[in-house]
Amino acid sequence: SLKNKLLARLSASPLTAPIRKEFIDEDPSYEVVMNFLRDREEIIELKGGILFTDRDFKNIIVKVTEFLQIKKEAKAADIKSHLNTSRKYIIPILERLDYMGVTIRDGDFRKLKN
């Protein structure tokens, strides 16, 4: 099914997975599947159409949290390197974590919200 194919591709390489538009360009039917999964909170969609399975996004939160517990504060570039991803992915991730109250932005730095 398209659902299983989508979830498998997102999980295969979460921090470099195709974005929403790339899936739709490949097969317009993906749009319905993505909206359904997003509404059921099985996938998370960030700015720029970046998609994660719920499980993978929770793992990212854990990795960022553990990193910031050790470092106390870090620039986006440091967190990007730690997760071995690109700026295209890290900025929307950090913005979502700020929005969720996991992190706070302080100038160029992110730290955990206590």
Side-chain angles (χ1 to χ4, degrees), residues 58-77:
K58 286 180 172 144
N59 287 339
I60 290 166
I61 294 172
V62 168
K63 286 179 184 170
V64 171
T65 301
E66 288 172 347
F67 184 67
L68 288 174
Q69 282 170 337
I70 295 163
K71 291 284 195 188
K72 302 301 177 221
E73 62 176 27
K75 291 186 175 183

Side-chain angles (χ1 to χ4, degrees), residues 73-112:
E73 62 176 27
K75 291 186 175 183
D78 301 325
I79 301 168
K80 173 178 77 78
S81 298
H82 179 67
L83 293 178
N84 194 23
T85 188
S86 66
R87 190 166 173 80
K88 169 180 162 183
Y89 289 80
I90 200 63
I91 298 303
I93 289 168
L94 293 174
E95 287 173 351
R96 178 61 64 97
L97 294 183
D98 293 344
Y99 173 77
M100 291 169 67
V102 175
T103 54
I104 9 182
R105 185 171 176 190
D106 181 9
D108 288 343
F109 292 89
R110 286 295 194 311
K111 43 190 166 193
L112 293 176

